[in-house]
Amino acid sequence: KTELAKIDPLHMDEKAMEHAGRLIAEGELVAFPTETVYGLGGDALHPEAAKKIYAAKGRPSDNPLIVHIAEFSDLERIAKEVPEQARKLADAFWPGPLTMIVWKNDSVPYATTGGMDTVAVRMPNHPVALELIRKSGCLIAAPSANTSGRPSPTEAAHVAEDLEGKIAMILDGGPVKIGIESTIVDLTEKTPMILRPGYITPQMLSEVLGEPVEIDPGIIAADDTRKPKAPGMKYKHYAPKADLVLVDGAKDAVIAKINELAGEKKKAGKKVAVIATEETRNAYQADVILCIGSRMDEDSIAQHLYKILRDCDELEVDAIYSESFVTPRIGQAIMNRLLKAAGHQVIHV
Ligand code: TXA
Ligand code: MG
């Protein structure tokens, strides 16, 4: 029932894109690639489309959607007012992996914003996403195109795994570039606040804004005492079926600890996976060694993170041990996802 179309981003199939755009305009759902993760798109200004999105994902309807736009003027169409900060950030980072929260106007239905008076807006940096928005003549509300609680999809096959039969169409534009969701910055308060870390770092934002940027304490707290400001960040996310534990510390100590723990599990008859890097993959003894990327190239770690978490489910392991990745630039964004997947179980050595 779900149509699947392979789209070469450099030579887009005009007919398929027109068809996909028409489906959106008719209120149907189309999954599409962006530079961060695949999105599940529907007409952002049509409450029925938003309801379909929640139903397909099995997502609570108080969790607001991001509105994807193709022109800066689209922001003016849906925002109550466009703050000066939004102009600066758009100049620097749009199209790109940055979502801005602004006050909404009456054209945006509460179904799209989960009942909030603010709206999240992003201009994605992917030719297929931008063309879909233009062809549909709509603004496109799109959460990540996964079943709620599963890792975000970084290739079309992940979308099909979760949503086949539940949506009208999947546009397959190949694997995504970045692999983790956009940075979210809230511009509705005096000081801009990051509600979700991503590829665009706090330093990059404050440099462009010429003012400090805060980070929502709720997104780094290990307990539930602080409530995150982005409703979606409070839900348990990306949890693999097996128990995942992170081990943090100096390289050799981490290797020794993971091998010790993996050995104990193996003795108990359990199947164990280790999430390792190019630099360490040969140092482990376990049933499965999954290489997430190279420490010399932190982008590669972000790119493979969600795929590896999906692989863990597929391999039906009982326990997973992972190195931790406090890498210089997007380390915070990577660890934010990994810590959630691990339910904040970290062993420091
Ligand atoms: O990279 C991305 O942002 C991807 C691609 C598809 O663009 N989209 C994405 O959407 O990650 P989603 O729905 O999986 O995550 C959106 C997050 C949720 O945590 C939600 O709670 C938060 O954004 N959010 C949306 N609107 C908000 C608002 N008005 N105020 C606070 N948080 C909001
Ligand atoms: Mg999501």
Side-chain angles (χ1 to χ4, degrees):
K1 205 177 90 194
T2 300
E3 286 179 67
L4 192 86
K6 269 207 180 343
I7 307 287
D8 177 350
L10 299 176
H11 306 276
M12 284 183 268
D13 179 339
E14 182 80 13
K15 272 229 178 84
M17 291 306 298
E18 260 166 23
H19 176 57
R22 204 171 316 118
L23 285 170
I24 297 270
E26 287 167 355
E28 299 297 329
L29 306 186
V30 176
F32 60 95
T34 80
E35 78 279 37
T36 57
V37 299
Y38 272 74
L40 174 59
D43 181 350
L45 303 188
H46 201 306
E48 291 308 315
K51 283 182 194 156
K52 276 191 191 169
I53 291 176
Y54 291 117
K57 276 181 68 86
R59 171 173 179 155
S61 60
D62 66 343
N63 189 358
L65 308 174
I66 295 176
V67 177
H68 293 66
I69 63 175
E71 315 288 339
F72 185 80
S73 58
D74 292 339
L75 176 61
E76 289 159 343
R77 271 176 61 195
I78 57 175
K80 201 164 174 191
E81 65 213 41
V82 176
E84 191 48 37
Q85 295 151 323
R87 293 181 198 283
K88 286 187 187 167
L89 292 177
D91 273 347
F93 301 116
W94 275 1
L98 178 69
T99 295
M100 302 188 218
I101 311 265
V102 297
W103 294 105
K104 80 174 194 74
N105 67 23
D106 291 341
S107 67
V108 186
Y110 283 114
T112 296
T113 66
M116 299 181 82
D117 289 311
T118 55
V119 61
V121 188
R122 168 164 121 81
M123 190 190 293
N125 186 17
H126 195 295
V128 175
L130 293 170
E131 185 67 4
L132 180 66
I133 298 167
R134 293 195 186 103
K135 284 275 193 275
S136 69
C138 301
L139 309 184
I140 297 188
S144 48
N146 52 291
T147 300
S148 194
R150 293 217 75 202
S152 294
T154 54
E155 29 187 283
H158 300 165
V159 179
E161 253 171 55
D162 288 8
L163 299 175
E164 179 107 68
K166 296 183 176 171
I167 60 177
M169 191 175 192
I170 300 173
L171 298 174
D172 179 355
V176 302
K177 273 214 184 82
I178 293 179
I180 52 177
E181 304 88 343
S182 61
T183 304
I184 302 180
V185 63
D186 183 353
L187 300 179
T188 62
E189 313 239 356
K190 243 201 181 134
T191 309
M193 185 183 275
I194 293 184
L195 307 189
R196 179 173 71 183
Y199 189 83
I200 308 282
T201 63
Q203 292 74 21
M204 290 160 80
L205 294 175
S206 63
E207 200 166 297
V208 166
L209 291 171
E211 63 178 315
V213 171
E214 282 177 42
I215 299 172
D216 177 8
I219 60 181
I220 22 191
D223 48 41
D224 290 336
T225 51
R226 292 168 193 265
K227 197 165 150 277
K229 296 190 80 188
M233 301 295 280
K234 72 172 183 257
Y235 295 106
K236 190 173 180 195
H237 263 64
Y238 331 121
K241 290 178 201 144
D243 200 41
L244 168 63
V245 175
L246 311 186
V247 180
D248 183 37
K251 182 177 157 192
D252 291 338
V254 168
I255 292 171
K257 187 69 185 175
I258 289 183
N259 278 334
E260 177 197 325
L261 293 167
E264 284 168 11
K265 287 278 181 206
K266 204 170 165 69
K267 257 194 214 140
K270 307 280 189 204
K271 185 173 175 187
V272 183
V274 171
I275 301 179
T277 53
E278 290 292 350
E279 289 77 11
T280 57
R281 60 189 303 173
N282 294 320
Y284 291 107
Q285 294 100 43
D287 297 296
V288 192
I289 317 269
L290 298 161
C291 180
I292 194 170
S294 167
R295 288 201 182 260
M296 308 298 286
D297 173 14
E298 58 174 347
D299 290 357
S300 70
I301 294 173
Q303 241 165 31
H304 300 129
L305 176 65
Y306 287 141
K307 181 180 166 45
I308 288 225
L309 292 177
R310 278 182 185 255
D311 287 348
C312 285
D313 284 350
E314 211 124 284
L315 290 160
E316 305 199 310
V317 294
D318 304 302
I320 310 163
Y321 296 104
S322 175
E323 297 178 10
S324 70
F325 303 96
V326 195
T327 57
R329 204 170 43 81
I330 51 175
Q332 188 174 46
I334 294 169
M335 284 306 286
N336 169 258
R337 274 65 171 188
L338 211 46
L339 280 164
K340 279 193 183 182
H344 289 273
Q345 300 184 84
V346 189
I347 296 173
H348 296 278
V349 290

